[in-house]
Amino acid sequence: MADWVLHVDMDQFIAAVEVLRRPELAGVPVIVGGRGDPTERAVVSTASYEARAFGIGSGMPLKIAARKAPDDAVFLPVDHEAYESASAQVMETLRGLPGVVLEVIGWDECFLGVATDDPEQVAGAAQAAVLEATGLHCSVGIGDNKVRAKIATEFGKPRGVFRLTEANWFAVMGERGTRELWGVGPKVQKRLAARGIDTVRELADADESELVAEFGPRMGVWYHGLGSGIGPAVVDDTPWVARSHSRETTFQQNLTTAAEVEAALAELAGQAFDDCAAEGRPVIRVHLKVRYAPFETKTLGRKLAEPTTRRQDVIDAALELGASLDADREVRLLGVRAEMAMPAGGDGVERTPVRGRI
DNA sequence: TCTGGGGTCCTAGGACCC
DNA sequence: TCTGGGGTCCTAGGACCC
């Protein structure tokens, strides 16, 4: 029996959860975001397939979505608790499949590691189990590692299964743009294009030492391998250990006075601290996320002199960072992040350069 | 036309040490 | 006037993901 990696991804997860509890919304363009008021400053979390047909997608400001949306579109507020509980139900169901190791990546996706001669059968069983337990549909990517499984899922959507391995990698991906690779964003795509590397095959054929010179020893090697679909194949169910917690908020009106900004900084820093304190771990670093007009987000960080378990220390650090902002430019506060000391010995999980939880 | 909220990991460059 | 080589740690910021 061979080892396989399956990537399970819920179809339009948030919108699907909303339709599930309000069946009259089936077939209607549903847009979930912010407090559900399209006149407010907020963005789209998820749009149903019906809404996507009008060019509405996640990350888009609600005000823009409102202009594109047809008259019968429905805007709904984000309901984290509902998605958390649906997510937990999905994960629990998948964990119950025989012989699988499950690694959670996000609310609506995970990897399954399984030894089998028929991965399509396991994929079908996963889809059926999730549908029966939750009423939700998902797509499954089958791969010989995490990178290929993850990319395969896109070809399976919606409600399908797709297998991507070393055998069909170049046939499927070779002529596609580098941006379609997991971990290649707009900036890296540009830097690759500047060196004449536009397609996946060109990336695979590129000179690794040139990529190392451009991106550094780890990312250079990683991107080169990505061109051939190379990536980690071990699915790891080690419990997640958070490294930091942050609080961000969208102010409906920009803060204008120093007193307003200080009050907001103290509030957000205090909340971020509380999330860390709830885990019983000291804070070692504080970051501010701000936006300079017109649209340039920046992060400023400061290491604390000592790891602290005092709320006020974190608030003071945030205020100090706030005082160091460029006063000559229009700046909008977005949020505060508190970075925690790792537990002794860390979490024992080996990292790969793909950002986020892999 | 107006830009979320929650995260992680990597790199460059300076400081410091032997 | 000219000024090593290598290693590690820290800080600040960048990029990407869901």
Side-chain angles (χ1 to χ4, degrees):
Chain A
M1 290 207 291
D3 286 320
W4 291 95
V5 179
L6 272 58
H7 176 250
V8 179
D9 195 12
M10 305 305 297
D11 294 333
Q12 45 171 7
F13 178 63
I14 290 174
V17 171
E18 295 293 351
V19 171
L20 206 56
R21 59 179 173 182
R22 298 173 62 176
E24 71 273 15
L25 294 180
V28 175
V30 173
I31 298 134
V32 182
R35 296 190 289 190
D37 180 347
T39 67
E40 286 188 351
R41 258 188 198 170
V43 295
V44 176
S45 290
T46 300
S48 68
Y49 290 128
E50 291 81 3
R52 290 180 203 186
F54 291 90
I56 297 166
S58 39
M60 176 180 289
L62 281 187
K63 285 177 185 170
I64 308 291
R67 256 194 289 116
K68 292 174 176 277
D71 291 342
D72 64 335
V74 174
F75 285 82
L76 296 174
V78 174
D79 180 355
H80 289 256
E81 279 176 28
Y83 317 141
E84 291 281 6
S85 98
S87 172
Q89 214 184 339
V90 168
M91 299 303 168
E92 193 187 326
T93 302
L94 291 171
R95 221 176 252 120
L97 292 170
V100 306
V101 172
L102 182 144
E103 181 175 334
V104 175
I105 317 180
W107 260 356
D108 65 339
E109 54 178 307
C110 64
F111 285 116
L112 298 177
V114 61
T116 178
D117 284 328
D118 189 356
E120 274 78 9
Q121 185 273 324
V122 178
Q127 288 174 314
V130 169
L131 181 61
E132 197 198 329
T134 67
L136 297 167
H137 292 273
C138 60
S139 302
V140 181
I142 297 170
D144 45 6
N145 64 39
K146 288 173 165 176
V147 164
R148 295 195 180 115
K150 166 82 180 169
I151 293 172
T153 310
E154 290 309 309
F155 299 105
K157 278 186 172 292
R159 303 185 186 187
V161 177
F162 192 86
R163 189 202 280 217
L164 186 58
T165 65
E166 187 181 4
N168 63 345
W169 172 260
F170 285 110
V172 174
M173 294 297 296
E175 309 315 312
R176 294 177 178 265
T178 54
R179 185 69 175 83
E180 294 192 38
L181 295 167
W182 188 29
V184 174
K187 308 279 186 177
V188 170
Q189 177 190 28
K190 234 182 185 157
R191 285 166 74 181
L192 289 171
R195 310 185 97 78
I197 300 166
D198 295 303
T199 67
V200 170
R201 188 185 297 275
E202 285 165 352
L203 181 57
D205 290 343
D207 179 4
E208 189 170 273
S209 61
E210 192 193 340
L211 295 172
V212 167
E214 173 69 23
F215 296 103
R218 221 169 141 78
M219 298 310 293
V221 170
W222 171 261
Y223 289 135
H224 185 235
L226 211 48
S228 299
I230 292 169
V234 177
V235 179
D236 189 333
D237 59 1
T238 308
W240 183 251
V241 179
R243 282 136 183 85
S244 62
H245 289 296
S246 69
R247 285 305 182 97
E248 291 184 26
T249 190
T250 305
F251 299 100
Q252 288 300 316
Q253 271 86 40
N254 292 359
L255 306 181
T256 50
T257 70
E260 278 178 341
V261 172
E262 282 172 23
L265 275 172
E267 171 83 17
L268 293 169
Q271 290 173 348
F273 169 83
D274 292 342
D275 288 344
C276 298
E279 298 193 31
R281 291 159 62 196
V283 172
I284 58 172
R285 206 180 160 79
V286 176
H287 306 257
L288 243 56
K289 192 168 156 189
V290 300
R291 172 142 62 228
Y292 286 109
F295 192 66
E296 178 197 352
T297 57
K298 256 197 160 14
T299 310
L300 302 83
R302 175 157 305 175
K303 194 186 187 221
L304 301 172
E306 305 268 345
T308 186
T309 52
R310 286 184 62 235
R311 203 167 193 268
Q312 194 58 44
D313 289 343
V314 174
I315 293 173
D316 288 344
L319 290 173
E320 265 181 59
L321 280 168
S324 71
L325 290 171
D326 188 346
D328 295 335
R329 301 182 62 188
E330 187 194 322
V331 60
R332 190 193 294 179
L333 173 65
L334 299 178
V336 179
R337 165 172 301 279
E339 191 176 316
M340 292 174 286
M342 286 301 285
D347 60 3
V349 175
E350 190 158 340
R351 304 292 149 202
T352 77
V354 174
R355 313 301 202 281
R357 305 178 182 194
I358 175 171

